[in-house]
């Protein structure tokens, strides 16, 4: 448990860039980064555009381990592709979702729809702004999110509008993402930017969380958070999303401890149907901790936000702040890749009374980031288990995790791994998937682990040439995505980021800038099914019948003898 929260008073250092290697000792104040600043990225002269010139990636498309096997895998949108559309953005905000027949990738700079049986584009890739503007919304500044809603068989997406203060919201009219969409605007944070918006479908509510930054003469200052709650029926209204009834729960930031802590990068917990409160999870705004709380009576005039519960008080572990991730090189890129902070950047899920989420942390007293998978009892907020995806050698970092869970409590975690110089090619930034089964007590049993794609270079950095040391942190992510196939509960789709060849002659791009380039990769992975309770009963009965027949045959044989 963290030491004396209420007794510790400190001023917050407002920063527009993350401080690499920040350690959060017990009771410290965090620094806050305005993540959208980096999304503007570095746009360099590009004289050689190609979406297919990359060297072969490493993919274990026919491999697998344990219960986890890999199906369709393919290269998705890359930095080269978005620059071919006239946009250069760092990082991509690696976002996508699987539907009944398509995989939709909506990232910073582009909108792409793939056939989920072949991995081929179903239509030419377009800019993200072109996607929004084609349905009457404003152009976008990025930070997209997309989900497929299996109840309505429709797509749901959000992203910045042109101002960054508000959010575009769109819903497809059918399961075909290339068909018409209906759009509207959710008022965000008018004094500045509604940054790092999150999106969830929580029973009868659509939940959007934002980190709010006020625009000042010298930049942006962190101002707190907002949880926006809309009725499911309003958002999926046949005439288009109705946003006028949005309920807002604002938490202004106070630099004095003892104030309200509603967290940072707030995630609504996804769940299918049912009543009850809207559950929320987030990294604490003050401590190396996770908070959870509810919105009770969402959609009603009596809607209220509950008190915050710190998970270190219910069995969770504390941790240190994250440093940059390692790469297998001895030059200035050895530790510059931004592993992100401890925010919950990807979807959280509720299945059968258990809440699942992941975050990147540094275990106390160590110097390696790990992907921590947390399972919480919905009713009590007790932490049932925390499982770290890590390596005992201390040579690797694990980061940018995401997960999805099926109705049997089987989960797949997608994540990046990279390592130090001593790890060689294995240390290149790679995309992995790891599967787990949930035990009755909420603990997890690992069932498989597989590499999906490996970077093509040892020292990813963008904004400077291949052999020039990078300046500052190298943005990565800002998140990855795992979604469950609505047509097959054993199929999960993982989207992650990896590094492509440098944009130079040696990389196949004569006349290029020489800078690094990111790529994204999509993989379908399968977990072996577990028998349903009714099937267990049939199996047990079957075993009993077989045993009885064997005993009868043995008795008959003895009589005959």
């Amino acid at each position: 448990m963290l030491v004396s929260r209420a007794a510790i008073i400190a001023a917050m250092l407002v920063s527009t860039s993350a401080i690499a290697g920040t350690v959060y000792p017990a009771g410290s104040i965090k620094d806050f980064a305005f993540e959208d600043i980096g999304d503007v990225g570095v746009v360099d002269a590009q004289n050689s555009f190609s979406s297919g010139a990359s060297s072969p990636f490493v993919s274990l498309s026919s491999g697998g381990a344990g219960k986890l096997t890999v199906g369709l895998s393919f290269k998705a949108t890359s930095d080269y592709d978005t620059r071919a559309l006239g946009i250069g953005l760092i990082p991509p905000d690696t976002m996508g979702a699987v539907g009944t027949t398509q995989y939709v990738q909506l990232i910073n700079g582009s909108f792409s729809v793939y056939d989920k049986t072949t991995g081929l584009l179903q239509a030419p890739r377009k800019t993200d702004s072109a996607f929004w503007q084609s349905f009457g919304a404003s152009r976008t500044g990025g930070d997209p999110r997309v989900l497929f809603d299996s109840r309505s068989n429709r797509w749901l997406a959000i992203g910045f509008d042109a101002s960054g203060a508000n959010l575009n919201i769109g819903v497809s009219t059918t399961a075909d993402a290339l068909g018409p969409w209906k759009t509207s605007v959710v008022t965000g944070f008018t004094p500045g930017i509604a940054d790092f918006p999150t999106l969830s479908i929580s029973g009868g509510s659509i939940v959007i969380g934002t980190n709010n930054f006020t625009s000042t003469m010298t930049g942006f200052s962190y101002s707190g958070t907002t949880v926006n709650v809309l009725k499911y029926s309003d958002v999926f209204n046949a005439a288009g999303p109705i946003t006028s009834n949005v309920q807002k729960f604002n938490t202004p930031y106070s630099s004095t401890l003892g104030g309200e802590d509603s967290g940072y990068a707030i995630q609504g917990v996804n769940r299918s149907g049912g009543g009850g409160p809207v559950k929320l999870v987030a990294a604490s705004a003050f401590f190396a901790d996770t908070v959870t709380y509810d919105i009770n009576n969402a959609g009603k005039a009596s809607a209220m936000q509950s008190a915050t519960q710190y998970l270190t008080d219910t069995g969770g572990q504390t941790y240190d702040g994250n440093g940059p991730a390692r790469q297998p090189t001895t030059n200035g890129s050895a530790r510059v890749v931004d592993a992100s902070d401890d925010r919950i950047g990807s979807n959280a899920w509720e299945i059968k009374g258990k809440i699942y989420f992941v975050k990147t942390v540094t275990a106390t007293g160590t110097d390696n980031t790990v992907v921590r998978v947390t399972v919480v009892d919905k009713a009590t907020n007790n932490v049932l288990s925390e499982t770290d995806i890590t390596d005992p050698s201390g040579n690797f970092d694990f980061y940018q995790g995401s997960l999805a869970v099926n109705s049997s409590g089987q989960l797949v975690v997608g994540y990046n791994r990279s390592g130090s110089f001593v790890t060689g090619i294995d240390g290149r930034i790679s995309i992995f998937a790891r599967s787990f089964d949930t035990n009755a007590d909420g603990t997890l049993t690992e069932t498989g682990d597989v590499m999906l794609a490996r970077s093509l270079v040892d020292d990813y950095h963008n904004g400077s040439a291949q052999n020039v040391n990078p300046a500052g942190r190298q943005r990565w992510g800002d998140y990855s995505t795992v979604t469950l196939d609505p047509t097959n509960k054993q199929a999960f789709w993982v989207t992650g980021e990896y590094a492509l060849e440098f944009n130079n002659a040696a990389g196949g791009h004569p006349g290029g800038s020489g800078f690094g380039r990111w790529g994204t990769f999509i993989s379908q992975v399968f977990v072996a099914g577990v028998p349903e309770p009714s099937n267990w009963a049939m199996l047990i009965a079957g075993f009993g019948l077989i045993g009885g027949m064997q005993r009868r045959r043995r008795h008959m044989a003895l009589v005959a003898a």
Side-chain angles (χ1 to χ4, degrees):
M1 177 176 170
L2 294 177
V3 177
S4 186
R5 287 194 190 92
I8 301 168
I9 299 177
M12 174 185 130
L13 172 64
V14 176
S15 173
T16 57
S17 63
I19 297 178
T22 302
V23 176
Y24 305 134
S28 66
I29 290 285
K30 289 184 178 179
D31 297 316
F32 295 89
F34 176 34
E35 294 304 324
D36 185 52
I37 289 178
D39 290 339
V40 176
V42 179
V43 182
D44 60 84
Q46 173 64 51
N47 300 317
S48 177
F49 296 115
S50 173
S51 61
S54 300
S55 304
F57 48 82
V58 174
S59 174
L60 307 182
S61 58
S62 60
K67 291 184 177 182
L68 185 65
T69 57
V70 183
L72 177 69
S73 295
F74 55 94
K75 290 195 306 178
T77 307
S78 73
D79 203 349
Y80 289 105
D81 294 324
T82 58
R83 290 175 193 271
L85 298 172
I87 299 175
L89 295 172
I90 307 165
D93 286 358
T94 317
M95 171 54 51
V98 64
T100 53
T101 63
Q102 299 166 319
Y103 191 95
V104 170
Q105 187 178 40
L106 180 59
I107 64 175
N108 284 334
S110 68
F111 172 78
S112 307
V113 180
Y114 302 92
D115 186 314
K116 81 174 194 180
T117 62
T118 65
L120 298 177
L121 283 170
Q122 290 190 336
R125 182 177 286 111
K126 63 175 67 175
T127 67
D128 50 353
S129 285
F131 161 71
W132 286 109
Q133 290 175 312
S134 65
F135 302 114
S138 76
R139 65 178 179 83
T140 181
D143 274 27
R145 301 275 180 169
V146 64
L147 290 170
F148 182 79
D149 176 52
S150 56
R151 278 186 283 170
S152 64
N153 276 337
R154 297 164 73 185
W155 297 91
L156 171 64
I158 63 168
F160 286 143
D161 74 353
S163 70
N166 302 317
L167 301 170
N168 289 332
I169 184 169
V171 177
S172 67
T173 59
T174 69
D176 182 6
L178 293 173
W181 289 60
K182 303 287 187 180
T183 63
S184 187
V185 175
V186 177
T187 301
F189 184 67
T190 52
I193 301 293
D195 192 37
F196 205 81
T198 63
L199 175 66
S200 61
I201 303 174
S202 181
S205 301
I206 306 300
V207 183
I208 301 171
T210 63
N211 298 332
N212 302 328
F213 288 81
T214 298
S215 178
T216 68
M217 295 294 293
T218 57
F220 295 88
S221 63
Y222 179 62
S223 303
T225 58
T226 298
V227 177
N228 300 274
V229 181
L230 302 101
K231 292 181 180 179
Y232 176 95
S233 57
D234 281 354
V235 172
F236 287 96
N237 179 54
I242 299 171
T243 60
S244 56
N245 299 323
V246 63
Q247 293 180 312
K248 289 182 170 291
F249 299 87
N250 299 305
T251 304
Y253 178 73
S254 170
S255 61
T256 301
L257 289 184
E260 187 174 2
D261 184 1
S262 295
Y264 186 72
I266 300 166
Q267 292 279 356
V269 177
N270 288 275
R271 61 184 173 89
S272 57
V278 170
K279 298 290 292 187
L280 302 159
V281 291
S284 165
F286 300 105
F287 307 101
D289 205 342
T290 304
V291 298
T292 184
Y293 52 99
D294 302 339
I295 303 296
N296 295 306
N297 301 318
K300 300 179 181 179
S302 57
M304 292 184 62
Q305 180 175 313
S306 73
T308 295
Q309 173 72 66
Y310 288 96
L311 292 189
T312 54
D313 291 335
T314 61
Q317 305 174 64
T318 188
Y319 45 82
D320 292 340
N322 298 332
R326 294 162 174 79
Q327 293 191 92
T329 180
T330 57
N331 63 23
S333 297
R335 290 198 75 174
V336 296
V337 173
D338 186 7
S340 189
D341 54 24
D342 63 333
R343 72 187 63 195
I344 303 170
S346 59
N347 294 322
W349 303 90
E350 179 199 328
I351 300 294
K352 295 182 178 178
K354 297 180 178 68
I355 295 171
Y356 301 77
F357 61 86
V358 297
K359 60 195 307 188
T360 301
V361 303
T362 297
T364 302
T366 70
D367 187 34
N368 299 81
T369 56
V370 304
V371 172
R372 179 164 292 176
V373 186
T374 301
V375 184
V376 177
D377 185 282
K378 174 191 173 183
T380 64
N381 293 329
N382 289 334
V383 175
L384 302 177
S385 66
E386 289 184 325
T387 303
D388 287 349
I389 297 177
T390 185
D391 180 85
S393 72
N395 293 320
F396 289 95
D397 292 294
F398 299 77
Y399 47 101
Q400 294 297 351
S402 56
L403 61 75
V405 192
N406 68 16
S407 58
S408 298
Q410 296 176 296
L411 55 150
V412 168
V413 182
Y415 59 94
N416 282 126
R417 186 196 77 175
S418 62
S420 65
F421 177 74
V422 300
T423 63
I425 193 172
D426 286 343
R428 290 180 175 180
I429 302 173
S430 300
I431 305 168
F432 280 78
R434 189 171 297 200
S435 58
F436 298 87
D437 286 346
T438 305
N439 302 311
D441 61 358
T443 57
L444 301 180
T445 299
E446 182 182 332
T447 58
D449 187 26
V450 63
M451 183 199 300
L452 303 174
R454 177 186 288 150
S455 291
L456 309 183
V457 298
D458 296 335
D459 58 342
Y460 171 80
H461 57 92
N462 213 320
S464 58
Q466 182 170 6
N467 296 314
V468 177
N469 287 339
R473 67 170 178 156
Q474 299 296 296
R475 296 288 300 282
W476 192 261
D478 279 325
Y479 31 78
S480 65
T481 315
V482 181
T483 54
L484 181 65
D485 195 317
T487 66
N488 181 357
K489 77 170 190 175
Q490 305 307 131
F492 296 75
W493 292 72
V494 180
T495 305
E497 182 182 359
Y498 69 122
L500 297 179
E501 73 284 352
F502 280 91
N503 181 30
N504 54 23
H509 307 281
S513 66
F515 293 3
R517 290 288 181 263
W518 52 260
T520 63
F521 196 81
I522 297 171
S523 286
Q524 177 192 39
V525 297
F526 296 94
V527 294
V530 296
E532 298 293 337
S534 58
N535 294 335
W536 275 115
M538 294 176 63
L539 285 172
I540 293 170
F543 292 148
L545 178 62
I546 292 170
M549 292 177 64
Q550 289 176 335
R551 288 190 296 273
R552 182 169 180 269
R553 286 172 181 163
R554 181 174 180 273
H555 176 71
M556 291 175 65
L558 290 172
V559 170

